[in-house]
Amino acid sequence: MTASAEFPTDPEDREGWLSPADIAHARTHLPLVYVDAVPVRVDDSGDVVAVGLLLRVTREGVMSRALVSGRVMYHERIRDALLRHVEKDLGPVALPQVPASPQPFTVAEYFPTPGVTPYHDPRQHAVSLAYVVPVAGDCRPQQDAIDLAWLTPEEVCGEAVQAEMNGGQGLLLRQAMAFVGRLP
C-alpha cells in the first residue's frame, strides 16, 4: 500500500480543512471534487460477477440504493480518497484493489439545479471522478448505510434497481457496467 497523508482527527488541528460552516458556504459558491466508486467482485479472469450497492435512507426518509462516494479532502490524493471512502462505507477489511494511478471511467458533474446534467445533488455543484473498484475482502455496511447487497451486473442495470437510485447514480452505474463490458 502506498503512503497516505495522516489526517488529524481533531477538527481544530486540520490546517487547510474547512469547518462545517465554511464547507456549507463553499458548497454554495464553488464546485467540489468528489469520487464515486462502484465496488465489484471479480472472478479469476477479472470479469465482474457482482456489484455492491449500499442501502441508505435519504434526508427525505426514502430508502435508496447508492454507490460509495465522497469528497476529496484538501491535500489528499485521488487514490487515497478512494481508499478512505471504500473503507468508510464497506469496512476496514474490504481490501479494495485500487491501482497506483487510478483512471476514472467517467466524470460526472452534479448540479444543484435538476436537468442541467443527468446528475443532481441539491446541496452543491460537484465534479465527481467515477471508478470501478474491485474489492477482495469482507465488506459490511458502515456509517449511515443500512445494508450492502451484492447483485449481478444484469440486476443492477435492471429497471427495479435503477428506480431505487437517486441523483443520476443509476446512469453512472450503467456507465460502469458498459465500461467493464457487462451492460446487458
Side-chain angles (χ1 to χ4, degrees):
M1 189 143 139
T2 62
S4 62
E6 294 297 321
F7 295 113
T9 55
D10 181 0
E12 298 299 318
D13 294 335
R14 295 178 179 178
E15 184 178 326
W17 284 25
L18 299 175
S19 70
D22 288 341
I23 192 67
H25 179 74
R27 280 184 164 137
T28 63
H29 292 83
L30 301 167
L32 299 175
V33 179
Y34 273 68
V35 290
D36 279 311
V38 179
V40 298
R41 299 273 192 204
V42 296
D43 63 15
D44 292 338
S45 63
D47 290 327
V48 172
V49 295
V51 179
L53 294 180
L54 297 165
L55 182 64
R56 290 196 162 116
V57 178
T58 66
R59 292 178 182 180
E60 297 79 28
V62 177
M63 299 288 268
S64 69
R65 295 278 174 199
L67 303 175
V68 170
S69 64
R71 195 162 33 100
V72 177
M73 303 303 280
Y74 176 77
H75 208 262
E76 181 178 41
R77 297 181 314 165
I78 297 296
R79 183 177 192 281
D80 294 330
L82 279 168
L83 293 170
R84 179 172 57 83
H85 287 294
V86 168
E87 181 176 304
K88 173 186 64 78
D89 286 345
L90 303 181
V93 292
L95 304 178
Q97 319 265 308
V98 179
S101 296
Q103 300 296 314
F105 67 86
T106 195
V107 176
E109 193 170 15
Y110 293 83
F111 277 89
T113 306
V116 176
T117 69
Y119 308 104
H120 175 251
D121 185 338
R123 303 169 301 163
Q124 64 195 344
H125 177 186
V127 176
S128 183
L129 307 171
Y131 300 87
V132 174
V133 179
V135 291
D138 184 27
C139 299
R140 300 200 188 276
Q142 306 289 309
Q143 301 285 325
D144 63 346
I146 297 167
D147 189 25
L148 171 66
W150 290 98
L151 306 170
T152 67
E154 294 75 23
E155 289 171 322
V156 300
C157 291
E159 284 184 39
V161 172
Q162 290 286 304
E164 294 178 344
M165 302 194 75
N166 289 324
Q169 284 195 338
L171 173 61
L172 199 60
L173 185 54
R174 288 182 58 81
Q175 288 176 314
M177 293 302 97
F179 178 74
V180 297
R182 293 301 310 263
L183 187 63

